[in-house]
Amino acid sequence: MKSRTGRVEGTVIVHRRAVTAVWAAAALLLTAGCSSDDGGSPGGGESAASSTATAGGSSPTGRAAETPPAQGSVKVVRTVTEGLKTPWGLAPLPDGDLLVSSRDEGTITRVDGKTGKKTELGEVPGVSPAGEGGLMGLALSPDYASDHMVYAYFTSASDNRIVRMLYDEQKPSGEQLGAPDTIFRGIPKGYIHNGGRIAFGPDRMLYAGTGESGNTGLSQDRKSLGGKILRMTPEGEPAPGNPFTDSPVYSYGHRNVQGLAWDSKQRLFAAEFGQDTWDELNAIKPGDNYGWPEVEGKSDDPKYRNPLAQWATDDASPSGIAYAEGSIWMAGLKGQRLWRIPLNGTEASADPQAFLEGKYGRLRTVVAAGGDKLWLTTSNTDGRGDPKDGDDRILEVRVS
């Protein structure tokens, strides 16, 4: 029997108090606990290791074969910028610049993709940071070229919610973000397990990974928004074709989802934190149950879909994921490494490899940058790391 105590982002045990969440209403879910996570040390170079797992996918560029080579590589090309405070979400702009959110400061900053110059666009009103909550995921509208809308997932005083804001580059610095328009609210909040990743899929629908806020029972409750992957229109309505009638719930039985990515065949993958035993990479099928809290990692129960990859919690604590060169790339917080999971359809074509182990400390977000490049952010100033000079930073990485 495994413990039902809660691991905070893959590290410590916390005591919690939870209240129930109600569908379509703002849910106030407060939990108490200690928060500490292992830190890391920045540096340079590359390293590789392997672990046990299985996974699925294919290539976004058309260059990589369906079955990528068993052995990959990672090279840190440069540090794009440094001196960031609690970076969380990362959204590349069409011109190559980057928008990055600060979880604790509630601000969005534009980073020049060439020079690394930072320009604060403004503070997002209503953000109430505490514990693992605050200003988290960012995504650009699929019609960004015409509507200039930036979407953000954040923790408010009462819930987790998704807003969209007009980004007007013609206004003075600090005033370029318009007033947030709340398109979705009522996601359970807690001191832990707030989820927070958002992304527009190939279908132009908005997906959101949520956490169960420390109340494990929410994950199996399809009327709750906690412990789910949600799928909605850009206006925040349940997306057409969702598996449950008039519901944004796309999959359930999750613990804390912070990674979303699609392969070239439009298959969705998600990473989530385990508790004491197994972190997971899952291939997401609409309507499927991923087992939490009844199952952590793989099981023999056919009611629950098994993860395609699993890791000991000390080796991963996965946050962001991205797809490039025929593999899923997964950022590890406690694990302090970048995992490569080479894919062949919905199976791993080889054992996963770990790169950059301990070189840059905790890794939070990884985003495809086109071709064989990734953007990678560190997370050493989030209260659980061991910040060094220059932390936190954004790295440009070349992979194969």
Side-chain angles (χ1 to χ4, degrees):
M1 294 292 289
K2 57 180 177 290
S3 167
R4 289 287 180 249
T5 51
R7 184 172 62 89
V8 179
E9 290 197 346
T11 303
V12 301
I13 306 301
V14 299
H15 301 287
R16 58 182 181 266
R17 173 176 82 237
V19 284
T20 56
V22 181
W23 162 249
L28 180 59
L29 291 164
L30 298 175
T31 56
C34 55
S35 65
S36 88
D37 214 329
D38 287 353
S41 55
E46 51 193 288
S47 62
S50 63
S51 178
T52 58
T54 55
S58 71
S59 166
T61 63
R63 296 203 314 270
E66 175 71 8
T67 304
Q71 298 299 312
S73 67
V74 168
K75 179 180 180 181
V76 176
V77 177
R78 64 188 175 111
T79 297
V80 179
T81 197
E82 55 187 25
L84 297 169
K85 176 69 181 297
T86 60
W88 210 104
L90 190 69
L93 291 165
D95 65 359
D97 287 0
L98 303 167
L99 297 183
V100 59
S101 64
S102 170
R103 186 194 68 184
D104 292 352
E105 296 184 336
T107 56
I108 297 177
T109 295
R110 181 170 182 151
V111 176
D112 188 301
K114 294 179 180 178
T115 68
K117 178 183 176 182
K118 301 188 293 290
T119 304
E120 186 174 304
L121 304 186
E123 184 175 346
V124 179
V127 176
S128 181
E132 294 174 12
L135 180 59
M136 294 177 282
L138 297 178
L140 300 185
S141 163
D143 295 314
Y144 180 81
S146 57
D147 67 21
H148 303 289
M149 285 291 180
V150 176
Y151 287 70
Y153 181 118
F154 69 78
T155 311
S156 75
S158 60
D159 62 0
N160 286 297
R161 58 183 59 185
I162 300 171
V163 302
R164 60 183 177 186
M165 298 160 285
L166 177 66
Y167 173 28
D168 186 350
E169 299 182 38
Q170 304 306 313
K171 288 191 175 182
S173 177
E175 301 175 11
Q176 295 178 336
L177 290 179
D181 170 25
T182 300
I183 66 158
F184 198 85
R185 67 181 74 223
I187 302 168
K189 66 168 283 186
Y191 191 78
I192 57 173
H193 304 175
N194 290 287
R197 195 69 61 182
I198 55 174
F200 279 95
D203 56 2
R204 299 170 61 86
M205 296 295 109
L206 180 62
Y207 293 72
T210 74
E212 29 80 313
S213 67
N215 182 353
T216 61
L218 299 184
S219 296
Q220 291 295 319
D221 180 0
R222 294 209 306 261
K223 293 184 178 180
S224 170
L225 300 174
K228 308 292 189 296
I229 293 175
L230 309 176
R231 177 176 177 263
M232 65 193 77
T233 68
E235 292 73 37
E237 298 297 324
N242 276 3
F244 308 111
T245 304
D246 297 325
S247 170
V249 173
Y250 192 67
S251 63
Y252 66 107
H254 299 290
R255 186 170 182 268
N256 190 24
V257 175
Q258 288 188 8
L260 299 170
W262 289 263
D263 69 7
S264 64
K265 298 188 188 237
Q266 302 186 5
R267 293 176 288 214
L268 173 60
F269 295 84
E272 71 178 270
F273 293 92
Q275 181 169 263
D276 302 318
T277 310
W278 297 114
D279 292 323
E280 300 179 2
L281 176 68
N282 289 294
I284 302 301
K285 303 294 184 183
D288 274 10
N289 184 344
Y290 287 79
W292 180 255
E294 303 306 318
V295 172
E296 182 181 1
K298 298 177 183 179
S299 80
D300 297 324
D301 193 328
K303 292 189 300 184
Y304 308 120
R305 179 169 287 273
N306 277 333
L308 298 176
Q310 63 183 32
W311 290 262
T313 54
D314 285 349
D315 296 335
S317 296
S319 188
I321 62 173
Y323 182 79
E325 300 297 291
S327 296
I328 292 288
W329 301 85
M330 186 176 80
L333 288 165
K334 187 181 180 186
Q336 299 182 25
R337 64 199 80 175
L338 179 66
W339 283 100
R340 172 186 184 253
I341 304 94
L343 306 176
N344 180 15
T346 55
E347 300 291 335
S349 60
D351 286 343
Q353 292 174 272
F355 297 92
L356 308 179
E357 187 171 351
K359 299 291 185 180
Y360 294 91
R362 294 160 54 81
L363 304 178
R364 168 72 67 180
T365 294
V366 56
V367 174
D372 61 355
K373 292 200 310 180
L374 301 172
W375 305 119
L376 180 63
T377 69
T378 66
S379 188
N380 297 310
T381 60
D382 65 354
R384 296 172 188 156
D386 181 19
K388 301 296 192 299
D389 288 345
D391 280 335
D392 272 314
R393 62 195 79 204
I394 301 173
L395 307 171
E396 180 184 326
V397 178
R398 179 168 290 117
V399 301
S400 69

